[in-house]
Amino acid sequence: MKLDQAIDRLHEEGRYRTFLDIARRNGHFPHATWRRPDGTERAITVWCGNDYLGMGQHPAVLAAMHEALEATGAGSGGTRNISGTTIYHTALERELADLHAKEAALLFTSAYNANDATLSTLPRLFPGLIIYSDALNHASMIEGVRRNGGAKRIFRHNDVAHLRELMAADDPRAPKLIAFESVYSMDGDFGPIEAICDLADEFGALTYIDEVHAVGMYGPRGGGVAERDGLMGRLDIINGTLAKAYGVMGGYVAASAKMCDAIRSYAPGFIFTSSLAPAVAAGAAASVAHLKRDPTLRTAHQTQARILKTRLKAMGLPLVDHGSHIVPVIVGDPVHTRHLSDLLLEDHGLYVQPINYPTVPRGTERLRFTPSPLHGTEDIERLVQAMDALWQRCALNRADQSA
């Protein structure tokens, strides 16, 4: 059967993905319980979670969710257009608009949906639109650009000269939009925001930035890298998530009131989707509000990331370091990446998911560690010691296999 062949191929290439059944323990993150397929359990430390700041267990977030749940019940009861807009949704959108100093924000069920729905709808709002997309943009951006039916140009990753070349070759009268990210999640490098904004000004283009891996974690109030660099006012549409630094669920775009109004009126991905549960919206709003006021977790997060990178570099591991909070260690082979991940879990109780193609290019398979302010000194020490022992062991195994 073709289905069998498709799945078997993933197994043969070492790219088959398994789900780990874990129980997060409120008040103890990043520590959790892993339930094995045979029903036995083991305590583990999560090193690959996107709850970057541990806000998923913050008392302010939980209190807001409990209060909204008691007040409204479980679900929203509909799409945003049909009974699914509550006081919690509008309050969250106000918090997000304020976060990014924009007139409005539009809430989606995920940042993936926000990217896909917005980018696929914009050519309907701007006939003849040409979208210039960074080659390493997230899959949600790629899908939105692919589905919109309009013209697209792919520029080499972070290559502003190539972007300028592509824009200069197109009709100067055509509407244009540049889509890119602030922090690219696999290598942890930063997009050249100011240079891209300069190009946008030169060619009269709109700018669309994905700040998913930056909101809550950069800038005085957690507005992202654009806030940190004083560039939010030069960006037309900002995409963000509520499921990473904010620890809850959902995504959004922040822009002018007219832009948000047009997107909500024309985007099928917004119109025909049930809205987030009010309790989720309430928790997200509390998280955004808290991180605006208190930078403590942001500061501690960057400190822990620097410490882990310093320790891994000292061991001579092939670490990619662009100065962000992302900590990728390149293994370079899907089978060995999976094996290293399995050994960390089974032998040391350390959970880090292998990252393989197509998420990253072949030959750059990696373990991507995401330290948090809640990973203590002992957690880091255990991870470093485990990586030191296992890296040497795996290196010897690879040498024997190639001999």
Side-chain angles (χ1 to χ4, degrees):
M1 292 177 59
K2 290 185 177 180
L3 289 178
D4 292 333
Q5 294 171 355
I7 297 299
D8 289 345
R9 184 165 62 251
L10 293 177
H11 280 289
E12 291 167 3
E13 295 177 3
R15 296 194 295 117
Y16 182 76
R17 304 184 186 201
T18 57
F19 293 155
L20 208 66
D21 189 359
I22 65 173
R24 286 166 57 106
R25 304 201 310 249
N26 183 24
H28 297 278
F29 180 81
H31 304 292
T33 300
W34 167 37
R35 184 169 298 156
R36 297 185 179 96
D38 63 5
T40 60
E41 295 183 344
R42 170 162 189 177
I44 61 171
T45 302
V46 179
W47 277 101
C48 56
N50 282 335
D51 187 357
Y52 287 131
L53 304 180
M55 289 300 293
Q57 62 180 14
H58 194 280
V61 175
L62 300 185
M65 295 186 75
H66 280 296
E67 181 180 342
L69 182 64
E70 291 298 323
T72 67
S76 69
T79 66
R80 289 293 299 276
N81 291 324
I82 306 176
S83 80
T85 295
T86 71
I87 58 173
Y88 300 99
H89 296 88
T90 54
L92 174 54
E93 287 176 338
R94 284 195 299 269
E95 284 284 1
L96 294 168
D98 173 75
L99 175 68
H100 295 291
K102 298 298 183 188
E103 292 178 341
L106 192 62
L107 185 61
F108 290 80
T109 52
S110 71
Y112 186 108
N113 192 27
N115 272 333
D116 183 16
T118 302
L119 288 169
S120 63
T121 298
L122 287 174
R124 298 178 63 186
L125 305 175
F126 301 93
L129 180 70
I130 303 172
I131 296 182
Y132 302 83
S133 179
D134 188 286
L136 293 188
N137 275 343
H138 188 264
S140 58
M141 301 175 75
I142 294 171
E143 185 65 12
V145 172
R146 183 190 68 80
R147 290 198 310 107
N148 67 33
K152 66 177 183 291
R153 311 282 186 261
I154 310 301
F155 61 93
R156 291 186 291 270
H157 178 54
N158 280 350
D159 190 334
V160 178
H162 186 222
L163 172 59
R164 191 186 193 289
E165 180 183 318
L166 293 174
M167 297 183 78
D170 282 322
D171 185 347
R173 297 165 297 180
K176 300 174 176 65
L177 178 140
I178 307 170
F180 63 109
E181 300 185 35
S182 62
V183 179
Y184 289 85
S185 63
M186 290 300 113
D187 282 346
D189 54 332
F190 294 95
I193 302 175
E194 185 171 16
I196 287 177
C197 287
D198 289 343
L199 268 187
D201 290 345
E202 180 182 347
F203 288 93
L206 296 169
T207 48
Y208 184 107
I209 189 170
D210 179 313
E211 288 254 43
V212 160
H213 289 273
V215 289
M217 296 183 292
Y218 295 87
R221 300 198 309 157
V225 178
E227 185 196 25
R228 182 197 70 180
D229 296 347
L231 297 169
M232 284 197 301
R234 301 185 66 186
L235 295 158
D236 295 294
I237 305 174
I238 298 175
N239 168 272
T241 186
L242 302 164
K244 292 183 170 59
Y246 295 118
V248 192
M249 180 183 177
Y252 63 90
V253 292
S256 68
K258 284 185 178 180
M259 181 70 77
C260 288
D261 191 22
I263 294 168
R264 77 168 186 88
S265 299
Y266 282 90
F270 176 85
I271 296 170
F272 299 105
T273 301
S274 293
S275 62
L276 289 172
V280 171
S287 186
V288 173
H290 176 83
L291 289 176
K292 284 180 184 178
R293 298 187 303 266
D294 189 351
T296 305
L297 288 173
R298 274 193 292 282
T299 302
H301 181 246
Q302 293 293 331
T303 298
Q304 294 304 82
R306 283 194 297 271
I307 290 172
L308 179 59
K309 286 188 285 189
T310 300
R311 296 292 305 278
L312 294 177
K313 283 180 184 177
M315 294 162 51
L317 298 189
L319 173 72
V320 178
D321 184 6
H322 291 283
S324 73
H325 60 282
I326 305 293
V327 186
V329 174
I330 305 300
V331 181
D333 177 271
V335 174
H336 289 100
T337 306
R338 172 84 264 175
H339 183 52
L340 190 54
S341 171
D342 290 344
L343 289 174
L344 284 168
L345 181 66
E346 292 282 358
D347 295 355
H348 299 275
L350 305 173
Y351 174 36
V352 54
Q353 188 74 6
I355 308 292
N356 295 323
Y357 176 85
T359 306
V360 295
R362 295 182 191 275
T364 69
E365 293 82 4
R366 66 198 64 188
L367 298 177
R368 189 187 67 140
F369 299 97
T370 54
S372 78
L374 304 178
H375 285 90
T377 302
E378 291 183 3
D379 294 319
I380 292 177
E381 188 62 34
R382 286 179 56 218
L383 175 62
V384 169
Q385 290 185 6
M387 283 294 290
D388 189 25
L390 294 179
W391 193 266
Q392 300 300 326
R393 177 175 160 189
C394 288
L396 290 173
N397 288 340
R398 292 178 71 171
D400 290 342
Q401 292 174 13
S402 61

